[in-house]
């Protein structure tokens, strides 16, 4: 669990300016998109996370590492996940099922 949680209006310049955590990791909450978090580790690795609750159970789904995943992409993925939640679908379970299901290409 993150030892430091702050609410910020995340932007590329804000994210790029965040220093390495002094503890194990710091967690920053995006003020623009609820549930979107940015985790910054001691080694200055930055990754996006979506925290949500479904059926009374708290969950966290990794969105991806920054800068491979941009802030715009992370926000879009969180909004897509929220649409699934509105339909009663756990976005992490759906993502996991999609990666495990073999897909056949048509030739």
């Amino acid at each position: 669990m993150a030892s430091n949680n702050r609410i910020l209006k995340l932007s590329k310049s804000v994210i790029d300016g965040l220093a390495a955590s002094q503890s194990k990791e710091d967690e920053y909450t995006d003020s623009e998109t609820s549930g979107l978090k940015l985790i910054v580790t001691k080694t200055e690795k930055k990754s996006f996370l979506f925290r949500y609750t479904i059926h009374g159970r708290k969950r966290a789904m990794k969105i991806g590492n920054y800068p491979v995943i941009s802030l715009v992409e992370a926000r879009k993925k969180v909004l897509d996940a929220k649409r699934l939640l509105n339909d009663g679908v756990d976005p992490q379970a759906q993502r996991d099922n999609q990666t495990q299901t073999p897909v056949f290409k048509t030739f």
Side-chain angles (χ1 to χ4, degrees), residues 3-106:
S3 66
N4 187 8
N5 187 355
R6 295 182 216 153
I7 298 173
L8 295 174
K9 183 174 181 180
L10 293 178
S11 67
K12 183 180 181 331
S13 60
V14 168
I15 294 171
D16 290 341
L18 292 173
S21 174
Q22 297 300 311
S23 59
K24 183 178 176 184
E25 61 185 28
D26 288 337
E27 181 174 304
Y28 298 90
T29 300
D30 183 23
S31 65
E32 300 294 305
T33 307
S34 66
L36 178 61
K37 311 294 181 176
L38 178 73
I39 307 297
V40 181
T41 66
K42 274 185 168 185
T43 59
E44 213 169 323
K45 179 181 171 187
K46 298 170 184 173
S47 55
F48 293 108
L49 195 67
F50 175 46
R51 292 197 188 275
Y52 62 98
T53 303
I54 186 163
H55 308 300
R57 191 170 149 205
K58 291 183 180 184
R59 303 284 316 248
M61 179 174 82
K62 184 172 182 179
I63 301 295
N65 294 326
Y66 178 82
V68 175
I69 299 289
S70 71
L71 176 59
V72 171
E73 290 172 297
R75 284 178 173 156
K76 182 187 179 312
K77 288 182 181 221
V78 167
L79 292 176
D80 291 344
K82 285 181 177 187
R83 285 185 194 98
L84 291 172
L85 283 171
N86 283 338
D87 293 336
V89 177
D90 184 340
Q92 184 171 0
Q94 172 143 337
R95 181 187 66 186
D96 293 348
N97 287 338
Q98 286 176 344
T99 58
Q100 294 173 1
T101 305
V103 177
F104 294 98
K105 290 183 179 179
T106 53

